[in-house]
Each structure stands twice: as C-alpha cells, then as structure tokens.
Amino acid sequence: MMKRRALLKRLALMGGIAAIPFKILRAEPAVIKTVKRPFHQLKVGTLDLTVLTDGHIALSPIQPTFPNGSEQAEKELLQKHFRSTEAIDLSMNILVIKKENDVILVDTGTGGNFGPASGWMLSSMADAGITPESITHVVISHAHPDHVGGLLTKEGAPVFPHAQVHVARLEHEFWMAPQQDFSKSKFQDKKLLAAFTASTQTIFKTLQVQVRLFEHGVELLGCLRMELAPGHTPGHTLVHVYSGSEELVHVADLLHSDVLSVQHPEWGFNGDTNLEQAMATRKKVLADLSKGGKRTFGYHLPWPGIGHVRKQGEGYEWVAEAYAFPE
C-alpha cells in the first residue's frame, strides 16, 4: 500500500512534466497488458454509458485527509462500516457516453503518473472496445492531475487526437493565471501545489487548439448539463447526463469517501482549494441529490461508483446500486 509520503514524493515529480523525462515517472509499468481491466455498461434513456477504471489511490494515514474531523471519530466510523482504518482507498471511475456519432469521455485519470496502481484507463478502454481515436469529446470536471493526467502520452502528445476538450472557463482561468490562490486550502505543501499547477498548465498549453471553454449552466452535446459546484477547485463542475426523463449526476470530486464524505460533509477534504466553500457546496448538493433519490456517479467512490444519496439523521447515506451479475 502506498503511504502518503511516498505518494506525495511521486506526485512532486509531476510538476516537471515539461522538464522531467516521463521515464522517471514510469519506472514501473503503469499498465500490465496481460491483465484485463474491468468496465461496466449501463443506459440512461437512449444513451449508452460505459464506466472505465483508472485504478486507485490509497491515502495513508487517514488524517489529515479529512481535516475538520478527528482521527478517533473517523476510525470509529470506518470500523462501524467494516472498512480499513489504515488508508482511504480512492477509486478512479471514468465515464464514457455514447450518443449517436459522439463518444464523450468525462475526465481522463492519472496518465500513469501516480504509480502502477493507477493509469489503467487505456487498458480498460481497450477491453471495452473503445479506441482513443474514436473519442470525439472530452469533458473535464476540474483540472487536478488525477483527472487531466490522461490527456497526454508519456511523450507529451495528445491521447485523444480527434477530440474537443471541454473545460469550464472559471477552471481554465484559475490554473492558467500567473498566480493561484491556495490560501483557503488545508493542503500546505506549496511545492506540490506548484507542481500540480505546472502539470496542468503544460497540458492546457499543449492542447490549446483542442480546448473549448464553457460557461456553467450551459448544455453540451444535447445530453450534458454543466453545474458549478465550487470549492474543491474554483470551476469544479458536476455533469448532469440526461436523456428523456432519465438522469445520472456525475459529482466528480464532491465526494472522496462513500462513508466519511457522505455522512460527515463538514469534515472536508484537504485537497479542496477553498475548504469552507467546498463544505457548503457538498452539503447543498447532498441535500439536492437526496430529494427524489437522484442516480449518482462518483469518480472516487467504490467501483463502479453508481448509487443514490439518502437522508440519514443529521447527515446522509450512500446506497450503492446492486448488480445481479457482472456487466
């Protein structure tokens, strides 16, 4: 299991995407080609959806991942749910939407830059019968490296050469600005934040001709509605996937644990750019999701990340969808 210190050391290398050879980041193979990576298929109205996996990230120790909680309270809650108290395991679930001639990818994973337990997206995509060349649109929920890292190859070329890359204007402006404001974040490793910024800027500059900026509240491609959910990053976006009367709400990094984040949204997450704003957003969106039991998709929730939020006492509960057989 990758400990936090080892993970941060590896991530710190990412800041040199423009200056450090990728072979340094890929000393271990990110994808073992003989291993089949899972995918999961479902429908929303007439849309065909596929969930891919980019693998996972284990954060250890659990504190200070949820900074407003306490180590004792967090461990007690995890034990109550028969979970490990040694690490929080973040899945990375990537959504593909097929609508007529469009194949839409929502986020792209790490690109293999977080070690061999991640970077599986292209292998999962291949097993699902999807080629990078077939992707017509990539939608970015926000520009953290575990969401945009899969946009470039190890040589720095576009992975999806025929795709338009849709990014919220607010998000793009934040990362491309001369200086980023991280003063309201609990993440105190400023060098690592600078590395994240350099990585993201390199990606956006490389893909400049493919990038399309959107405003929040707009509808894209006749099946996506983009909702601002700020705090984790300034332009953090929820993607409402809809067809007819059916809808799936992609909540991106609103939630990092189906136990801690859902039952205690006030505990926050140390990766939030603005901790207080993210907490308020999390509470509001959880309340909205619980009304009517909206079908929900979580990027970092346990595979395949599909379920519902319901009210439970003063907080909420995640109810994962059950499947009678592998799909």
Side-chain angles (χ1 to χ4, degrees):
M1 181 176 296
M2 186 179 297
K3 298 297 183 182
R4 180 186 300 274
R5 185 171 299 174
L7 173 64
L8 296 185
K9 183 177 180 181
R10 183 181 292 275
L11 297 188
L13 295 174
M14 292 184 61
I17 278 184
I20 300 178
F22 265 79
K23 63 183 179 181
I24 295 176
L25 301 179
R26 295 168 181 260
E28 300 169 285
V31 175
I32 302 173
K33 295 185 182 302
T34 58
V35 175
K36 291 288 185 180
R37 302 302 185 190
F39 62 92
H40 175 76
Q41 295 178 315
L42 65 152
K43 291 186 76 72
V44 172
T46 61
L47 303 175
D48 293 311
L49 275 57
T50 302
V51 183
L52 308 174
T53 181
D54 194 57
H56 65 108
I57 302 171
L59 297 182
S60 177
I62 293 169
Q63 275 289 20
T65 301
F66 301 89
N68 287 348
S70 70
E71 185 173 8
Q72 180 178 350
E74 291 164 4
K75 286 189 174 182
E76 287 177 356
L77 186 57
L78 289 168
Q79 287 173 337
K80 181 180 177 181
H81 288 267
F82 306 99
R83 302 294 179 85
S84 169
T85 60
E86 299 301 316
I88 292 293
D89 201 21
L90 305 185
S91 297
M92 286 181 286
N93 308 314
I94 297 174
L95 194 63
V96 180
I97 304 153
K98 179 73 165 61
K99 179 182 184 289
E100 298 171 351
N101 294 325
D102 282 323
V103 184
I104 307 158
L105 182 69
V106 184
D107 289 336
T108 67
T110 65
N113 298 314
F114 283 38
S118 63
W120 302 351
M121 179 190 66
L122 291 179
S123 180
S124 181
M125 184 179 290
D127 287 336
I130 304 169
T131 65
E133 293 76 16
S134 71
I135 302 297
T136 58
H137 299 271
V138 178
V139 174
I140 300 300
S141 67
H142 66 295
H144 278 158
D146 56 323
H147 294 257
V148 298
L151 282 168
L152 298 182
T153 68
K154 63 181 180 179
E155 294 81 19
V159 172
F160 309 104
H162 307 307
Q164 295 182 1
V165 179
H166 301 270
V167 184
R169 185 179 298 277
L170 272 176
E171 187 75 2
H172 189 268
E173 289 177 350
F174 174 79
W175 291 104
M176 299 306 289
Q179 186 67 43
Q180 290 69 40
D181 181 7
F182 294 114
S183 63
K184 297 179 180 179
S185 171
K186 291 283 188 177
F187 201 97
Q188 295 303 314
D189 190 336
K190 303 303 182 185
K191 289 184 178 180
L192 186 57
L193 290 175
F196 286 171
T197 302
S199 301
T200 298
Q201 289 180 346
T202 296
I203 290 168
F204 284 161
K205 288 175 182 177
T206 302
L207 299 177
Q208 185 175 0
V209 298
Q210 293 176 253
V211 169
R212 304 291 184 270
L213 303 182
F214 65 79
E215 307 293 341
H216 287 99
V218 303
E219 297 188 2
L220 296 179
L221 308 172
C223 63
L224 307 177
R225 180 170 61 83
M226 319 306 285
E227 178 186 354
L228 175 63
H232 186 62
T233 61
H236 181 258
T237 301
L238 308 187
V239 181
H240 295 253
V241 182
Y242 64 87
S243 174
S245 61
E246 296 187 30
E247 180 182 24
L248 177 72
V249 185
H250 187 316
V251 298
D253 275 22
L254 184 85
L255 305 170
H256 288 82
S257 166
D258 60 321
V259 175
L260 303 183
S261 298
V262 177
Q263 295 194 23
H264 286 279
E266 75 279 4
W267 284 355
F269 183 73
N270 73 338
D272 293 337
T273 302
N274 185 325
L275 185 71
E276 295 298 321
Q277 185 182 44
M279 284 166 45
T281 296
R282 192 174 296 112
K283 291 177 181 179
K284 177 184 179 299
V285 174
L286 284 170
D288 291 343
L289 292 172
S290 68
K291 296 173 183 175
K294 293 180 181 178
R295 199 178 192 192
T296 302
F297 177 84
Y299 186 87
H300 286 303
L301 299 190
W303 171 265
I306 303 167
H308 303 263
V309 173
R310 68 183 176 194
K311 197 80 174 71
Q312 182 187 58
E314 297 299 314
Y316 300 91
E317 179 184 21
W318 174 255
V319 181
E321 284 198 359
Y323 303 94
F325 56 91
E327 296 181 70

